[in-house]
Amino acid sequence: MDVLRDTWTVFLYNTRIVLRQRAGIVFGVLQPMLYLVLFGPLFATIGSWETLVPGLLIQVALLSAGLAGFGVVFDARSGVLERLRVTPARRVCLLLGRVLSSSVTLLIQSVMLMTVGYAFGMRAWIPGVLAALVLMGLLGVSLAALSNAVALNIGPELFAPVMTTGVVPLILLSGAFLPMSMAPGWLDALSRATPFRYVLEAVRDLFAGRYATWTVAAGVAVTVLLSAVCVTVGTRVFNRENA
Amino acid sequence: MIRTSGLSKSFPGGVNAVRGVDLAVEAGEIVGFLGPNGAGKTTTMRMLTTLLRPTGGVATVAGRDLLADPRGVRRRIGYVSQGGGTNPATPVGDELELHAMLYGMRRGPARERIGEILERLDLSGLESRPAGALSGGQRRRFDLAFGLVHGPSLLFLDEPTTGLDPQSRANLWAHVTRLREEEGLTVFLTTHYLEEADALADRLFVIDHGAIVAEGTPAELKGGTGTLDDVFLSITGRSLREDRPSAAPGSSRPGPDGVEPSHQESDGVGSGRPGPGGVGSGDGEPSRPGPGGVGSAGSGPGGVGPAVPERSAVAPACEER
Ligand SMILES: Nc1ncnc2c1ncn2[C@@H]1O[C@H](COP(=O)(O)OP(=O)(O)O)[C@@H](O)[C@H]1O
Ligand SMILES: [Mg+2]
């Protein structure tokens, strides 16, 4: 029970910080939002909003939760992390509380995107959208945990260039902007090697109101597996001495 | 309160930062760990506070075995790191509350306790400020509050006054001494300031190159005649005052000053940091504020600058032989 309580305490603390700096939330969603507003109407002439918006959700996940490690770099530098590491709280709580807060940030950003998407004429089924949000929350946990682990491992100087560069191919390979079914064979194969494609296709199905498909099942399975792996890795890094 | 035997730490890359340290600290004592920069003080303290796993030796801290029950140790100790640990943008009160709650306190009692501690540290009314908007002395006292909020029996202070001006330093000393009485604390502190060791500590361990080279009360160590620096000089052949500018025209120290291998030594001690330290920072240790980090309060590297002028201002007594 300590674990839940401590996780909750850390979560509340981090979330309060996030909410206090509202600019951070807006900034994180800015790029996908620009795509939505300035590219979406164009895309809608050949495709549909229900195809584009899920792609932008993956984009915001990678740009927001995927770069959450910046926060931990900052806390490591200011000594906050070390101070927390001397409390009896388990390290997994320090990680989970922080990561859940990044996930909530991502959910806020996702809702912002979907709201604007609806305003432009997106038609997505509410139950499907809610299910997609659950997936997004889990994806946020995975990405934030991974990002934290990477940040603590490679250090502050490398983190920014590595991650900001690294997320771009991942966004493209997920098929965020155009479905990968249109891609040539090699690109399609490459895309299948990244987890985000599966999540994205599941979200597209959910938006379209197709719930009981293999695509959805695959997306859910990949997301659950990904979060288990990422949280384990993250906890290991938080546990490691001197991290 | 603390008992160690053969405590050692070597870092990858062959840095033997701590080599077989034996310590015994009794309840109620203020014990100082004195040594130049790079001597291994922080590394020892980080081992004793469960932040670093020793590569050798055993230790009991606050009645718990360091290796077998690290969480038990953490529950009973407070730790104020060399660089402190506050988010410059969050209200310190919020951070204190989180900190207290991670020790298992409920919000209500935590707030009560925070109020009480802040009052003792003359910080009442400042809890809504972000750490970035506090003076150096106030921030350091907040750091102290973090170490005390859960009522530990043992408090670790790593270089508590490095980078502070003379008034803030004397003020912090007074607080630590008083808190020891009021809170029934045992205090283990590191310092590279002789006057701090002299003013604060009941007993001293002198460390150099990762090993204890002397132990005793400040008076014993001085033997009634010399200064602590003379003691250090006689044991190691080096002066602790590596921070003394080589010009030191106003040096009030008598004769030996001219003879002491002060310049050669200042190279030796000084290089403890830039040299091997560079190796350390190379393999990425983001959580260590490091010596440079302390300077963020506005002082130079290691905050050694003010040592000379303030020496006479704060503790003139310990300077005369
Ligand atoms: N993470 C690390 N990796 C490698 N070397 C380190 C690390 N931390 C400290 N050191 C080295 O260990 C020695 C002792 O450092 P430290 O304990 O910080 O000294 P002090 O606190 O007495 O100034 C120094 O030579 C330092 O460079
Ligand atoms: Mg140190």
Side-chain angles (χ1 to χ4, degrees):
Chain A
M1 287 313 92
D2 280 5
V3 174
L4 290 185
R5 203 189 94 111
D6 290 348
T7 303
W8 181 246
T9 307
V10 175
F11 166 76
L12 280 186
Y13 167 79
N14 278 295
T15 305
R16 220 177 299 156
I17 292 182
V18 168
L19 294 180
R20 198 175 289 130
Q21 302 159 351
R22 252 159 293 177
I25 301 183
V26 173
F27 191 75
V29 77
L30 191 61
Q31 199 173 321
M33 194 61 90
L34 287 174
Y35 273 93
L36 184 65
V37 174
L38 302 180
F39 171 68
L42 207 61
F43 182 89
T45 61
I46 54 160
S48 68
W49 289 100
E50 299 82 70
T51 313
L52 180 64
V53 172
L56 298 181
L57 291 182
I58 298 295
Q59 188 189 17
V60 76
L62 280 158
L63 288 176
S64 164
L67 300 183
F70 274 115
V72 87
V73 164
F74 190 75
D75 278 2
R77 221 183 244 172
S78 64
V80 170
L81 193 60
E82 179 146 312
R83 171 165 63 72
L84 298 178
R85 283 160 53 85
V86 196
T87 69
R90 287 192 174 76
R91 273 82 202 260
V92 67
C93 305
L94 302 183
L95 175 78
L96 273 184
R98 168 184 288 280
V99 158
L100 284 172
S101 158
S102 304
S103 178
V104 165
T105 307
L106 174 61
L107 288 179
I108 296 174
Q109 293 165 328
S110 301
V111 169
M112 289 165 76
L113 277 174
M114 291 191 306
T115 309
V116 176
Y118 274 118
F120 270 109
M122 176 180 80
R123 277 163 225 251
W125 297 85
I126 294 293
V129 164
L130 292 180
L133 279 177
V134 174
L135 268 191
M136 291 301 290
L138 215 49
L139 185 63
V141 167
S142 321
L143 283 169
L146 191 64
S147 185
N148 278 296
V150 172
L152 288 178
N153 255 324
I154 67 178
E157 300 79 14
L158 273 178
F159 181 76
V162 166
M163 291 307 268
T164 47
T165 318
V167 294
V168 175
L170 290 175
I171 293 169
L172 292 173
L173 284 175
S174 73
F177 302 125
L178 283 175
M180 272 295 160
S181 50
M182 301 166 67
W186 66 271
L187 188 57
D188 187 41
L190 198 56
S191 148
R192 283 190 192 284
T194 72
F196 308 106
R197 166 166 187 173
Y198 303 95
V199 188
L200 173 52
E201 293 189 339
V203 173
R204 283 193 176 132
D205 263 21
L206 291 171
F207 269 45
R210 298 189 293 267
Y211 305 129
T213 65
W214 286 112
T215 309
V216 170
V220 171
V222 166
T223 313
V224 169
L225 198 67
L226 186 67
S227 54
V229 170
C230 292
V231 169
T232 309
V233 170
T235 307
R236 187 158 305 170
V237 172
F238 260 64
N239 256 321
R240 201 189 48 193
E241 58 164 18
N242 205 16
Chain B
M1 262 302 164
I2 306 176
R3 216 150 288 263
T4 76
S5 168
L7 200 64
S8 332
K9 179 76 194 180
S10 41
F11 289 106
V15 184
N16 291 316
V18 178
R19 327 166 178 230
V21 162
D22 301 329
L23 293 173
V25 174
E26 304 304 327
E29 280 188 300
I30 297 187
V31 170
F33 208 32
L34 177 69
N37 274 327
K41 303 183 297 293
T42 298
T43 305
T44 305
M45 195 168 264
R46 284 165 52 82
M47 287 194 281
L48 293 176
T49 52
T50 79
L51 287 168
L52 265 185
R53 178 163 277 271
T55 45
V58 292
T60 316
V61 177
R64 302 285 138 155
D65 186 279
L66 185 65
L67 298 174
D69 185 13
R71 284 185 77 217
V73 171
R74 282 188 243 141
R75 228 173 252 128
R76 289 166 179 78
I77 63 167
Y79 170 55
V80 178
S81 73
Q82 196 167 340
T86 39
N87 183 335
T90 350
V92 251
D94 286 10
E95 291 209 51
L96 271 169
E97 205 174 295
L98 162 80
H99 199 73
M101 288 175 76
L102 290 181
Y103 282 94
M105 299 172 81
R106 306 242 151 238
R107 197 178 296 272
R111 287 203 173 136
E112 222 165 90
R113 168 70 179 169
I114 290 167
E116 185 187 310
I117 276 291
L118 292 188
E119 194 174 324
R120 286 198 194 170
L121 289 167
D122 299 327
L123 291 168
S124 298
L126 295 177
E127 51 270 54
S128 59
R129 289 223 202 145
L134 296 168
S135 77
Q138 288 168 339
R139 198 168 330 147
R140 211 55 184 141
R141 274 180 282 144
F142 265 109
D143 288 339
L144 208 55
F146 280 103
L148 289 170
V149 71
H150 55 292
S153 51
L154 172 59
L155 180 65
F156 289 92
L157 301 175
D158 197 359
E159 309 252 352
T161 66
T162 296
L164 293 188
D165 61 85
Q167 276 83 14
S168 311
R169 170 174 296 179
N171 173 276
L172 201 93
W173 289 346
H175 278 299
V176 171
T177 321
R178 203 160 46 82
L179 282 164
R180 180 248 299 257
E181 309 301 329
E182 292 175 1
E183 299 267 327
L185 276 177
T186 308
V187 181
F188 185 74
L189 67 102
T190 75
T191 182
H192 68 275
Y193 292 122
L194 297 161
E195 42 286 308
E196 183 155 272
D198 219 356
L200 216 46
D202 306 324
R203 218 149 53 79
L204 289 174
F205 289 92
V206 184
I207 183 172
D208 189 31
H209 289 312
I212 305 276
V213 293
E215 177 193 340
T217 65
E220 280 167 12
L221 285 175
K222 287 186 283 191
T225 50
T227 65
L228 282 173
D229 192 34
D230 293 336
V231 176
F232 194 77
L233 186 62
S234 70
I235 297 169
T236 65
R238 308 182 305 139
S239 168
L240 253 179
R241 298 207 173 277
E242 92 274 11
D243 38 334
R244 161 178 296 164
S246 44
S251 170
S252 59
R253 293 191 64 233
D257 232 15
V259 224
E260 77 177 51
S262 132
H263 299 289
Q264 166 204 352
E265 144 276 318
S266 73
D267 286 334
V269 178
S271 68
R273 260 315 169 173
V279 179
S281 50
D283 58 52
E285 14 129 277
S287 71
R288 287 197 79 239
V294 187
S296 61
S299 68
V304 287
V308 172
E310 86 208 3
R311 189 179 51 200
S312 39
V314 174
C318 70
E319 227 353 74
E320 3 203 63
R321 293 176 299 149

